[in-house]
Amino acid sequence: MVGSVFGVLSLIFISGIASQGRKANGHLDEDTDYGRVGSVVSPHGDLQNDFQTHVVDAEFGTTYKEIVDLKSQILFVYNFNVTEGLNQTTAVRVSVSSINSTSSSPVMVVVRQRQGIMSWAVPLFIDYIYAYSSVSRTLCPIFHLSGSDTEEDPQQQIFVEVSSMAVNATPFTFSAERLPDFELRHSEMKNTTVSPSEPQYFLYKFPEKVTSVLIKVKSDSITCMVVSIQDVRCPVYDLDRNVEFAGKYQTMSTQAAMLLQASDYEHKQFYVVLIVKPLDLDCLGIEQIQTAGASTARGKNVTILVEDTIPKSQYYKGIFAAVGFFSIFYVIAGAMLCCFHRCGTSKSLMEISDSERDIDSSQSFVQSGASYGSMSSSLAKELEPVVPGSATPPQTPPGHHRADSLDESDVDFLHDANEEKDIFRTKTALFVSDLARKSRKKLSKLYKIYHWNLFTIAIFYGLPVAQLVITYQNVLVATGNEDLCYYNFDCAHPLGVLSCFNNVFSNIGYVLLGILFILLVWRRDSLHKRLVREHGDVEQRFGIPQHFGLFYAMGVALVMEGVMSACYHVCPNYSNFQFDTSFMYIIACLCMLKIYQSRHPDINAKAYQAYLCMALVIFMAVIGVVYATGLFWIMYAIVHMLVSLLLSAQIYYMGRWQIDRYIFKRLWYVFVTDCLKCARPTYRDRFTLLLIGNTINWSFAIYGAIKQPADFASYLLAIFIGNLLLYCLFYILMKLLTGEKIKMVAIFIILLSMVTWGSALYFFFSHLTSWHKTPAGSRESNRDCILLEFYDAHDVWHFMSAVSLFLSFLILLLLDDDLSLKRRDRIPVF
């Protein structure tokens, strides 16, 4: 029946048939000018008296109040000439409202125009729950371009049919208007209001010589909405249920930004589509009950601005400035190496006197009346050689005992004191010579495994990571869903396949400075090997034992931190954040191992043990990011505290602590003997360090179990950095308290690193993005570029943290250079 009516209507309008205007059976408001030109009645039998179509010759800007029911429908006809407007684009917006329509008998609207058909119902249901009685839609625009159909036939018609299957009469209000400001102007703000049932979209055309633009949408309201960029074609997807079908889109609470290239659009123009969501769940992450009703309750005022992006020349400036900045470090390093080499400012082992060189390295030097590392003012005097069994330092030369003062009952003539590990490693006065008894060749092979293993780990870990993030990037491009990646969209400069090239490239500092550190270590390693070849017997008696495997591993880790951070920033989100932090954990662990190795070379952890522990840490970080439940936090706190205790026992007893079924019994014995029955512990300095360390770690564990921070990865990283900082401070403090000195170069680097770390942390806490928020919530913190119009605050963090890590590595490399001419049996262990 309805099909027959449509057929009759088509024939009537094609033939130009018009009927005399009349009022329709008392349905019309007498005070309103409806502009009807006729009523069309179906010729099929009984339908003539049952169904009527009232035709209205409508005008733009006029509001019509009509009634529809099961037996009648209204057809609004708009005739206009597209050349009458000032713009080359004609856009028409249709508004329909009906407060009496119901879900079972809605008012149905069908719009027909040359470009296609659009239809909807009033009330409009969104998510099948929320009904809106007022609907406003923009029809597919008509373009008046050279060579188009409108140039030959500028006369256009729009038919709007309004009907209902309701038995009772359903009143509605209808209007249509031509939009005079449908096109967005370059660098001019556009204000508009949007609601779930009243979406808006506007046209933007690229001006000549403009190849890319940055579109910014801002609002003071936190009401959730979607910003979509679509090609100029019909239909335009402007409803919540279909906006994801075309183009690029972002969810938005207070701001959104997209960088768009003219080359991506066929006619160098696109639509900016604005749609308010019925709920704020997608933007706030919290589901709130929203009362179904009028759309005015969800209205949102927004501002649109389309502005220029940086030119390609700015890319070159940013790239070469970063490379040039880090190249300065190579120049400075080369200049300093040449200066020290030519000026002879470094004292050599060859300047040691023959008497010192010929001393038997097996001779022991012990403290009299004090434990090792004692903080008393007479420590330097106590480190002088003494005769075993005597109470005061002798006047005879070291190594020559007077027969009349020797009490043989006080001397142990067995060799187990020097050969049994459980004896010489648990002495109260330990020196580096006690913990550097293994052969140089054996230890060198042991520590070389560190960097080779790490290089292998980096390959097997890095390749899948690169593949995954490239897949993320391809999915983002294919789907247009820019909520997949947490960029700082206000300062995201694309290049090639990368959506945010500046965040990726700013990691170049880690790579360049990591390579520079490896070169510096290699040079020092080469000089040490030459020294060993020429004077190996002298070298093994003086200074801290030189093993460079851990230093090489630190350099490799710094390079890989740059690579992995770059991979993470290809598409940063919560599911791949561990890529950015994995090698940070490894760097912190390697630094602590290197500090410990300096004076404990024989008992330092083996490579496979260390990397197994690091792998468990990274595994725990992944679990904490994905499944950070209350039970997990409790289990983590228990494990953290137990590991701290076991590690403390290993350090306290210099590796002579066994982990077996009697471990808790031994822990209780240590507590009773060292804490309850003694005024002070056997190893006072070690005990002090471990007590402070356990207090801090237990505090971290308890804080995590109670507060349960949302960012577990950063929380875990803070624990490692805190422990590393504590150990560094302890090591430097003990050096000074034992009378050792720190060279001026090392002091300068320490002070400089403090400045760079402070500035780096300032930019780190800028929080331009946050993956533990929703994508829309993360974009609320987006900020403009601050350096060379190319780098944002997080990029500056990359630069400064790379410099800070490099300087920190140099501190560890140079910290004990003052001991190069000091005998190992006079260098205390702490």
Side-chain angles (χ1 to χ4, degrees):
M1 182 188 306
V2 177
S4 300
V5 173
F6 286 159
V8 171
L9 291 174
S10 301
L11 290 173
I12 291 173
F13 284 105
I14 292 174
S15 303
I17 298 176
S19 301
Q20 298 292 329
R22 66 181 182 87
K23 297 185 178 179
N25 299 327
H27 288 300
L28 303 183
D29 187 349
E30 296 293 343
D31 298 330
T32 306
D33 180 13
Y34 298 98
R36 290 190 179 179
V37 297
S39 299
V40 179
V41 182
S42 173
H44 295 281
D46 295 336
L47 292 179
Q48 184 173 2
N49 298 323
D50 294 339
F51 188 85
Q52 293 182 343
T53 298
H54 305 291
V55 181
V56 178
D57 187 5
E59 295 181 359
F60 291 114
T62 303
T63 300
Y64 299 92
K65 296 180 180 179
E66 299 287 351
I67 295 175
V68 291
D69 55 24
L70 182 62
K71 297 181 180 181
S72 64
Q73 65 180 4
I74 309 297
L75 180 64
F76 297 94
V77 181
Y78 288 90
N79 294 277
F80 60 97
N81 193 315
V82 296
T83 61
E84 294 176 356
L86 298 178
N87 298 328
Q88 290 185 333
T89 305
T90 301
V92 177
R93 188 167 180 83
V94 175
S95 300
V96 182
S97 63
S98 177
I99 60 176
N100 299 109
S101 58
T102 63
S103 59
S104 58
S105 300
V107 172
M108 293 171 284
V109 182
V110 179
V111 181
R112 290 175 294 161
Q113 58 182 139
R114 183 176 295 182
Q115 289 75 19
I117 298 178
M118 178 186 293
S119 64
W120 65 87
V122 180
L124 177 67
F125 279 85
I126 299 179
D127 288 344
Y128 304 99
I129 299 176
Y130 302 101
Y132 296 87
S133 59
S134 179
V135 181
S136 182
R137 305 281 298 277
T138 301
L139 306 184
C140 193
I142 302 171
F143 294 92
H144 177 55
L145 302 175
S146 177
S148 62
D149 295 339
T150 59
E151 187 177 26
E152 298 179 0
D153 183 14
Q155 197 67 27
Q156 295 287 316
Q157 289 180 320
I158 297 177
F159 304 104
V160 183
E161 180 186 282
V162 183
S163 61
S164 176
M165 299 297 290
V167 176
N168 298 323
T170 304
F172 70 93
T173 301
F174 172 84
S175 66
E177 60 179 345
R178 297 177 69 170
L179 300 179
D181 55 351
F182 179 68
E183 294 186 15
L184 296 174
R185 299 185 183 277
H186 193 74
S187 300
E188 291 185 12
M189 285 189 178
K190 168 71 177 177
N191 296 314
T192 187
T193 301
V194 194
S195 70
S197 63
E198 298 175 344
Q200 294 273 10
Y201 67 88
F202 302 94
L203 175 69
Y204 177 79
K205 299 178 180 179
F206 283 90
E208 292 185 7
K209 299 182 180 180
V210 175
T211 58
S212 63
V213 294
L214 178 64
I215 176 170
K216 294 184 177 181
V217 183
K218 296 186 178 182
S219 175
D220 295 331
S221 171
I222 62 172
T223 301
C224 188
M225 68 175 292
V226 177
V227 179
S228 174
I229 306 298
Q230 301 180 21
D231 286 320
V232 177
R233 62 184 61 175
C234 292
V236 178
Y237 298 99
D238 61 347
L239 292 177
D240 180 60
R241 62 172 177 263
N242 60 20
V243 67
E244 299 177 2
F245 294 170
K248 301 178 180 180
Y249 61 91
Q250 296 178 2
T251 54
M252 167 190 161
S253 55
T254 60
Q255 67 178 26
M258 294 187 194
L259 195 148
L260 306 171
Q261 304 279 351
S263 58
D264 295 336
Y265 302 94
E266 183 178 359
H267 300 292
K268 293 187 178 182
Q269 53 188 0
F270 56 81
Y271 290 135
V272 180
V273 186
L274 308 175
I275 305 167
V276 172
K277 284 182 166 290
L279 292 175
D280 294 328
L281 176 63
D282 292 337
C283 294
L284 302 181
I286 302 174
E287 187 170 5
Q288 298 176 338
I289 303 299
Q290 176 69 34
T291 303
S295 61
T296 54
R298 296 285 296 171
K300 186 181 180 76
N301 296 320
V302 299
T303 300
I304 309 171
L305 176 64
V306 183
E307 58 186 16
D308 289 320
T309 59
I310 61 173
K312 290 297 181 183
S313 60
Q314 202 65 34
Y315 278 72
Y316 298 126
K317 291 180 182 178
I319 292 172
F320 289 119
V323 174
F325 173 71
F326 292 108
S327 298
I328 294 175
F329 287 87
Y330 283 79
V331 175
I332 294 175
M336 292 186 66
L337 291 178
C338 293
C339 179
F340 277 91
H341 177 72
R342 293 184 179 181
C343 298
T345 56
S346 179
K347 193 175 180 180
S348 172
L349 282 174
M350 298 305 97
E351 300 180 29
I352 298 176
S353 63
D354 294 337
S355 59
E356 285 282 332
R357 193 180 305 176
D358 294 336
I359 291 178
D360 184 4
S361 62
S362 64
Q363 181 178 344
S364 299
F365 291 84
V366 298
Q367 301 178 31
S368 175
S371 300
Y372 93 93
S374 175
M375 300 183 185
S376 63
S377 60
S378 60
L379 177 62
K381 182 177 180 181
E382 291 173 353
L383 289 178
E384 293 299 322
V386 298
V387 177
S390 63
T392 58
Q395 302 299 322
T396 56
H400 297 80
H401 307 299
R402 294 185 343 190
D404 56 353
S405 65
L406 181 62
D407 185 357
E408 295 183 0
S409 63
D410 293 336
V411 179
D412 187 355
F413 288 99
L414 298 177
H415 294 288
D416 58 355
N418 292 326
E419 296 178 359
E420 181 57 42
K421 296 178 182 178
D422 290 329
I423 296 178
F424 70 78
R425 288 188 185 176
T426 55
K427 296 189 300 183
T428 58
L430 269 177
F431 296 89
V432 172
S433 59
D434 296 319
L435 298 180
R437 299 190 173 208
K438 294 181 180 179
S439 67
R440 184 193 303 109
K441 186 176 181 180
K442 180 178 180 181
L443 287 178
S444 179
K445 290 182 178 180
L446 179 66
Y447 290 121
K448 278 183 179 179
I449 298 176
Y450 267 97
H451 63 271
W452 287 118
N453 279 5
L454 184 60
F455 185 73
T456 305
I457 292 171
I459 293 176
F460 280 93
Y461 188 76
L463 290 179
V465 168
Q467 181 181 6
L468 178 62
V469 296
I470 291 174
T471 302
Y472 269 121
Q473 179 69 67
N474 291 335
V475 170
L476 183 147
V477 173
T479 63
N481 182 7
E482 297 202 347
D483 284 353
L484 290 176
C485 305
Y486 286 66
Y487 301 124
N488 175 19
F489 288 92
D490 286 353
C491 184
H493 303 295
L495 183 65
V497 297
L498 300 176
S499 298
C500 191
F501 171 76
N502 53 300
N503 280 168
V504 175
F505 183 77
S506 60
N507 293 280
I508 190 68
Y510 298 109
V511 177
L512 294 179
L513 294 183
I515 294 174
L516 176 59
F517 182 75
I518 292 174
L519 294 176
L520 294 176
V521 172
W522 172 79
R523 179 187 179 277
R524 177 168 283 217
D525 188 14
S526 300
L527 294 176
H528 180 259
K529 288 179 180 178
R530 187 176 68 180
L531 181 64
V532 170
R533 286 195 303 267
E534 297 176 356
H535 310 283
D537 55 337
V538 178
E539 184 276 337
Q540 64 183 352
R541 302 179 192 178
F542 292 86
I544 296 294
Q546 298 295 309
H547 302 290
F548 298 94
L550 275 170
F551 280 130
Y552 283 120
M554 290 162 58
V556 173
L558 185 57
V559 172
M560 286 306 303
E561 171 58 28
V563 174
M564 301 305 293
S565 179
C567 289
Y568 164 71
H569 284 90
V570 170
C571 182
N573 56 58
Y574 86 98
S575 62
N576 60 12
F577 183 69
Q578 68 271 14
F579 303 156
D580 191 27
T581 56
S582 295
F583 277 87
M584 291 184 183
Y585 303 139
I586 293 177
I587 287 174
C589 291
L590 290 175
C591 288
M592 286 187 282
L593 286 172
K594 182 57 195 176
I595 297 173
Y596 190 76
Q597 181 210 51
S598 298
R599 304 193 186 223
H600 310 76
D602 287 359
I603 61 174
N604 204 21
K606 294 180 175 62
Y608 72 90
Q609 296 172 332
Y611 288 131
L612 176 61
C613 294
M614 296 177 199
L616 294 176
V617 169
I618 295 174
F619 175 76
M620 185 177 296
V622 175
I623 299 299
V625 169
V626 181
Y627 304 105
T629 61
L631 178 61
F632 167 81
W633 279 104
I634 294 174
M635 295 298 298
Y636 166 77
I638 295 173
V639 171
H640 187 174
M641 291 186 286
L642 288 177
V643 170
S644 298
L645 283 177
L646 296 177
L647 186 60
S648 299
Q650 285 290 102
I651 295 174
Y652 191 69
Y653 287 104
M654 295 294 178
R656 305 314 301 160
W657 183 272
Q658 295 182 358
I659 301 178
D660 53 23
R661 59 179 178 173
Y662 301 109
I663 184 171
F664 294 103
K665 182 177 180 180
R666 287 196 296 273
L667 282 173
W668 172 252
Y669 178 76
V670 170
F671 176 74
V672 171
T673 55
D674 278 20
C675 300
L676 299 182
K677 294 185 178 181
C678 296
R680 67 179 187 179
T682 306
Y683 311 105
R684 184 175 61 182
D685 302 318
R686 259 179 276 170
F687 183 85
T688 302
L689 169 67
L690 295 174
L691 178 63
I692 297 175
N694 276 273
T695 301
I696 294 176
N697 280 277
W698 282 47
S699 299
F700 268 119
I702 296 173
Y703 172 82
I706 296 175
K707 296 295 185 180
Q708 299 183 9
D711 190 352
F712 179 78
S714 297
Y715 162 81
L716 192 61
L717 183 61
I719 293 175
F720 277 91
I721 293 177
N723 282 275
L724 175 59
L725 182 60
L726 173 66
Y727 197 13
C728 287
L729 291 176
F730 170 80
Y731 191 88
I732 293 174
L733 181 62
M734 290 304 299
K735 275 182 67 70
L736 299 176
L737 291 175
T738 53
E740 298 177 5
K741 297 181 180 180
I742 302 177
K743 289 192 172 183
M744 291 303 299
V745 175
I747 294 176
F748 173 77
I749 295 177
I750 291 174
L751 296 176
L752 183 60
S753 68
M754 293 173 63
V755 174
T756 57
W757 272 121
S759 60
L761 291 175
Y762 170 80
F763 289 106
F764 175 76
F765 289 111
S766 297
H767 294 306
L768 300 179
T769 60
S770 179
W771 54 262
H772 61 270
K773 296 181 180 179
T774 62
S778 173
R779 275 188 282 273
E780 291 181 6
S781 303
N782 287 179
R783 297 292 181 270
D784 293 331
C785 303
I786 62 172
L787 181 63
L788 299 175
E789 299 181 351
F790 191 75
Y791 297 112
D792 60 17
H794 194 73
D795 294 323
V796 179
W797 148 255
H798 286 162
F799 295 147
M800 300 307 299
S801 61
V803 173
S804 301
L805 284 171
F806 175 72
L807 295 177
S808 301
F809 288 2
L810 286 183
I811 292 172
L812 299 184
L813 186 65
L814 304 174
L815 189 58
D816 287 321
D817 280 1
D818 60 301
L819 302 177
S820 59
L821 303 181
K822 188 172 183 178
R823 283 163 40 185
R824 291 181 186 175
D825 50 9
R826 290 186 177 181
I827 302 176
V829 173
F830 45 76

